[in-house]
Amino acid sequence: MNAPVAKDPVLKATACPHDCPSTCALEVELFADGRIGRIKGARANAYTAGVICAKVARYSDRLYHPDRLMQPLKRVGAKGEGRFEPISWDEALDLVASAFLKAEAEHGAQAVWPYHYAGTMGLVQRDSIHRLRHAKGYSRQFDTICTNPAWTGYIAGTGLLAGPDPREIAVSDMVVIWGTNAVSTQVNVMTHAITARKTRGAKIVAIDVYPTQTVKQADLGLVLKPGTDAALACAVMHVLFRDGHADRDYLARYTDCPDALEAHVAQRPPEWAAAITGLSVDEIELFARMVGETKRTFFRLGYGFTRQRNGAVSMHAASCIAAVTGAWQYEGGGAFHNNGAIYTLDKSMIEGHSLIDPAVRQLDQSQIGRVLTGDAEALRHGPPVTAMLIQNTNPVSVAPEQELVKQGFAREDLFVCVHEQFMTETAKMADVVLPATQFLEHDDVYKGGGHQYILLGPKLAEAPGETRENLYVLNEIARRVGAAEHPGFGMSAREHIDWMLKASGFGSLEEIERDRWVDCQPDFRKAHYLDGFNWPDGKFRFKPEWTAVPAPNDGPMGPFADMPTLPDHWAVNEAASEEHPFRLATSPARSFLNSTFNETASSRDKEGRPDLMIGPKDAERLGIADGDRIRIGNRRGAVILHARLTEGLKPGVVVAEGIWPNDAYPDGRGINTLTGADAVAPYGGAAFHDTAVWVRKD
């Protein structure tokens, strides 16, 4: 008997929940039986423009994965062994509440650390964890894994985390994609850049530390040494002043100290930068000339080149170029990194702001290994962490200093509850594992850092098995541990969305359900700072006061007192040496998103296995052939992977793409074994692409 033919699906609107600036508007095929089919980009959304990445287009691989967690589990074996038994939700939540109350009784409420990050970017499901922490006085979290150096460096110049409309890329005459592999990680940037190329003859320039697909598709691809971006920026500004391409009227009106900058970069010629960056003088001169002769140049500045100890300085230096040329004056011109400041969303109900006690310590997210192994400074000289709730992140794979992280999670006196979609390596270290919904199975709302939309993500499918949304878990724990009363604990996700939109002046749930998204883009003059930058004097800052930059922080950190006062190459990075002669960048893989998607066969098949890109000459000198098993290491540990000989790398530079699970490596040690958690100046951050290593044939 033939199976019944499924009726044509209806298209439903939602938004991508993942940690990507594109935050794509999606259209989802929904069949009559409730199953989800193909996922496409929404053509009606002017930024998504109908284009999404392949990994999200294949989302049914995750949604219907046979290994999804479907019921609460209690550990019955040794930590990390992976032996669990099913329990009821009530039993699981009671165990969690009992452990949290025990930790509080023994060491105070700050012994409990709710730990989260960006597994979902939904404002309700991601950020409600703060309401629980504030209601109990649990340890706060200082977020450092991603944005700190980049945001600080950009805001140092503009005074605000906002810039020109990203859709203007399509009307630019040159698009400079700097420090982001847009082909792999921000496909919409390429959509608009290619539109500009086709319709205006615009040139695309890509700057990165290895020959990415974006570099290969660019009209000019510049591959430089990691951490040398500020040197390139200074040399470009040298040429702009030297050759008469600096807009002196704009500089006089809109910037703080153009004469001091000109005198400073006069000592930073292309020859100086070539020795630092590994670029040729001709490459630097060509790029500078292209910038100088193309007023309508859009600098799309990514996160990659700021994942360095000098990252804030590098971001600031790159953003300064647009101020020297006056590119900000033109549609399709200026420097853009993130539009976070345009939203002004009132998240006080979601996060429980009225309950915040500023005396409660903030623990550095990136230093979780140090926190869990009892480092007094990392603990802010407070009590040990003896209980954790983990949502939306997988620190046993993604956090730096993995050896410390694993030691910490192996502590017998540490209780861990992980709320997850899959049995990640962090979940395997848990005492209680709770099954989580995926984005199509709950309501939420999103904002796009890489564009200007607030987007609704409504529930479209029933949650399978016993999976529950984050909000349910947080509200239930709060009730069981006697959290302070707050109206947010009694609200559904839809009620939270409606409250926030109304309180923020962005309409209501009913309106965003009708319209699908809210376009928050400021007008042209404001977005291009034509009435002045966001400082009291209205001037773009070439000379920032680094510890006064209004970016998220927990006070000055790292060697902030040594930061250069004007744009400059700052040689503070983890330097190559005789013992550690290679610089390692741990760059994103096209088919993974941090550790998300590395559980799906389609993504793993496309990525192959954990490899190390190494230049042919470096490999020959070490007696390494393509595909050889090799070992790389430093004082933090060692990792085994396989060599992939790659043309176009600078000598002494190696690249490992993607956050593979630790168990994908022959000895169970993942790439973040090698990365450090030292705080980046001036406001913290993790220098994931700033690691010195040795390389040997295994």
Side-chain angles (χ1 to χ4, degrees):
M1 183 176 179
N2 293 331
V5 177
K7 293 182 180 179
D8 290 339
V10 295
L11 288 180
K12 295 289 187 178
T14 186
C16 181
H18 289 292
D19 186 11
C20 169
S22 289
T23 316
C24 291
L26 304 178
E27 292 179 345
V28 179
E29 292 181 339
L30 180 63
F31 288 91
D33 63 0
R35 285 185 64 85
I36 299 295
R38 291 182 297 174
I39 296 181
K40 306 173 184 178
R43 292 187 179 278
N45 183 280
Y47 186 76
T48 301
V51 180
I52 60 171
C53 68
K55 52 186 172 284
V56 172
R58 301 191 301 266
Y59 213 89
S60 59
D61 291 356
R62 291 196 86 243
L63 202 64
Y64 302 117
H65 197 294
D67 294 337
R68 272 196 70 176
L69 293 169
M70 292 293 185
Q71 56 190 342
L73 302 170
K74 179 177 70 173
R75 177 172 65 89
V76 295
K79 285 204 171 188
E81 185 181 351
R83 287 203 297 127
F84 295 86
E85 66 179 18
I87 56 175
S88 70
W89 265 100
D90 279 339
E91 184 180 356
L93 291 168
D94 287 346
L95 282 171
V96 175
S98 176
F100 285 12
L101 291 169
K102 179 175 181 288
E104 182 179 358
E106 292 178 347
H107 301 287
Q110 294 184 61
V112 181
W113 190 19
Y115 188 91
H116 82 297
Y117 205 49
T120 177
M121 298 295 280
L123 303 183
V124 177
Q125 305 294 349
R126 183 191 66 190
D127 296 333
S128 288
I129 197 170
H130 295 304
R131 189 170 65 255
L132 172 63
R133 84 168 79 242
H134 299 326
K136 283 295 297 180
Y138 293 154
S139 284
R140 294 186 290 158
Q141 177 176 298
F142 178 45
D143 298 341
T144 54
I145 273 183
C146 184
T147 61
N148 304 52
W151 289 9
T152 304
Y154 185 85
I155 297 169
T158 62
L160 193 70
L161 187 64
D165 187 335
R167 295 169 295 194
E168 292 181 27
I169 292 173
V171 296
S172 178
D173 291 329
M174 188 163 79
V175 183
V176 179
I177 302 172
W178 197 331
T180 181
N181 183 8
V183 169
S184 295
T185 63
Q186 291 188 65
V187 64
N188 310 98
V189 170
M190 290 303 294
T191 299
H192 296 294
I194 290 170
T195 296
R197 176 191 272 168
K198 289 180 177 179
T199 60
R200 304 178 60 83
K203 300 298 183 184
I204 299 174
V205 178
I207 305 170
D208 217 312
V209 297
Y210 69 114
T212 65
Q213 288 299 313
T214 308
V215 168
K216 292 175 182 177
Q217 292 187 27
D219 298 287
L220 175 63
L222 300 176
V223 176
L224 38 63
K225 295 178 181 178
T228 65
D229 305 82
L232 172 61
C234 288
V236 168
M237 290 186 281
H238 171 101
V239 174
L240 295 173
F241 281 111
R242 184 197 69 193
D243 293 353
H245 294 306
D247 187 329
R248 296 189 180 278
D249 290 340
Y250 181 88
L251 286 164
R253 181 177 177 185
Y254 285 102
T255 69
D256 62 340
C257 57
D259 293 342
L261 177 70
E262 182 175 8
H264 171 68
V265 297
Q267 307 303 314
R268 303 291 185 266
E271 292 79 7
W272 165 84
I276 296 169
T277 62
L279 296 170
S280 69
V281 171
D282 288 345
E283 286 176 307
I284 297 170
E285 291 276 4
L286 173 60
F287 175 45
R289 183 169 68 252
M290 291 171 68
V291 170
E293 294 175 352
T294 313
K295 290 295 186 184
R296 200 184 296 262
T297 294
F298 194 108
F299 289 85
R300 183 58 177 86
L301 306 175
Y303 288 93
F305 74 108
T306 71
R307 302 197 196 284
Q308 310 273 342
R309 287 168 177 80
N310 64 7
V313 169
S314 295
M315 171 64 81
H316 174 247
S319 73
C320 289
I321 300 173
V324 172
T325 65
W328 288 98
Q329 301 166 93
Y330 309 101
E331 185 181 20
F336 179 86
H337 170 62
N338 184 292
N339 246 342
I342 71 173
Y343 296 106
T344 61
L345 288 167
D346 185 343
K347 293 167 64 180
S348 60
M349 184 63 72
I350 292 172
E351 298 186 354
H353 290 177
S354 64
L355 303 172
I356 295 174
D357 180 356
V360 173
R361 67 183 176 185
Q362 290 197 100
L363 300 178
D364 189 327
Q365 171 194 32
S366 297
Q367 295 186 351
I368 183 173
R370 301 183 191 187
V371 167
L372 295 184
T373 53
D375 182 284
E377 186 173 346
L379 286 164
R380 302 294 188 262
H381 302 282
V385 169
T386 59
M388 298 183 73
L389 168 67
I390 298 176
Q391 289 185 323
N392 313 321
T393 189
N394 181 18
V396 177
S397 288
V398 307
E401 299 181 343
Q402 281 284 294
E403 292 299 290
L404 290 179
V405 175
K406 292 176 182 177
Q407 289 174 34
F409 273 98
R411 281 171 39 206
E412 288 298 331
D413 67 330
L414 174 67
F415 175 88
V416 177
C417 172
V418 174
H419 186 205
E420 253 296 357
Q421 299 163 353
F422 294 90
M423 186 58 76
T424 63
E425 289 172 316
T426 305
K428 288 177 183 177
M429 299 299 294
D431 298 279
V432 171
V433 178
L434 304 175
T437 49
Q438 293 191 23
F439 80 107
L440 295 170
E441 300 159 353
H442 56 238
D443 293 297
D444 216 332
V445 67
Y446 307 87
K447 61 180 180 178
H451 53 72
Q452 63 292 308
Y453 290 106
I454 300 170
L455 305 102
L456 183 66
K459 178 180 176 179
L460 300 179
E462 290 303 315
E466 297 180 49
T467 58
R468 299 286 188 274
E469 65 180 345
N470 288 7
L471 188 63
Y472 170 84
V473 171
L474 297 163
N475 290 346
E476 286 297 311
I477 292 175
R479 181 170 64 83
R480 284 169 164 83
V481 297
E485 291 188 7
H486 187 276
F489 288 122
M491 295 167 63
S492 69
R494 290 173 60 82
E495 289 169 333
H496 271 294
I497 295 166
D498 189 55
W499 189 97
M500 182 183 68
L501 291 174
K502 288 176 177 176
S504 308
F506 288 123
S508 65
L509 174 62
E510 181 181 4
E511 290 172 283
I512 199 172
E513 282 187 309
R514 180 193 67 209
D515 299 333
R516 301 168 61 177
W517 48 73
V518 181
D519 188 338
C520 304
Q521 180 60 41
D523 64 36
F524 182 84
R525 290 194 64 84
K526 185 172 183 179
H528 286 256
Y529 298 101
L530 296 186
D531 295 316
F533 288 89
N534 199 52
W535 296 105
D537 61 0
K539 306 286 190 179
F540 182 94
R541 293 283 189 266
F542 291 133
K543 190 175 184 179
E545 183 182 346
W546 283 108
T547 57
V549 174
N553 68 87
D554 192 27
M557 295 182 176
F560 62 90
D562 299 328
M563 298 178 76
T565 55
L566 287 164
D568 209 350
H569 173 64
W570 187 30
V572 72
N573 287 14
E574 194 163 284
S577 64
E578 185 176 350
E579 183 181 3
H580 301 104
F582 288 90
R583 295 292 312 287
L584 167 69
T586 56
S587 302
R590 186 169 189 170
S591 297
F592 299 158
L593 205 165
N594 301 320
S595 68
T596 304
F597 296 101
N598 68 20
E599 70 284 324
T600 58
S602 56
S603 289
R604 291 177 73 116
D605 288 347
K606 288 181 179 297
E607 294 302 325
R609 65 183 178 188
D611 286 334
L612 185 76
M613 297 183 189
I614 185 170
K617 290 184 178 178
D618 281 332
E620 181 181 10
R621 179 171 52 82
L622 296 171
I624 293 171
D626 191 58
D628 276 353
R629 178 165 146 156
I630 57 176
R631 187 183 297 267
I632 65 174
N634 56 21
R635 60 184 173 80
R636 302 180 188 101
V639 175
I640 298 172
L641 25 60
H642 292 81
R644 190 195 327 168
L645 271 58
T646 304
E647 296 283 355
L649 286 169
K650 294 302 179 189
V653 176
V654 292
V655 177
E657 286 188 327
I659 302 182
W660 287 85
N662 290 300
D663 62 15
Y665 296 79
D667 66 348
R669 291 182 173 88
I671 200 66
N672 281 315
T673 300
L674 307 174
T675 55
D678 300 333
V680 171
Y683 291 153
F688 282 106
H689 301 343
D690 180 6
T691 304
V693 296
W694 47 257
V695 178
R696 301 168 189 161
K697 187 172 181 178
D698 191 44

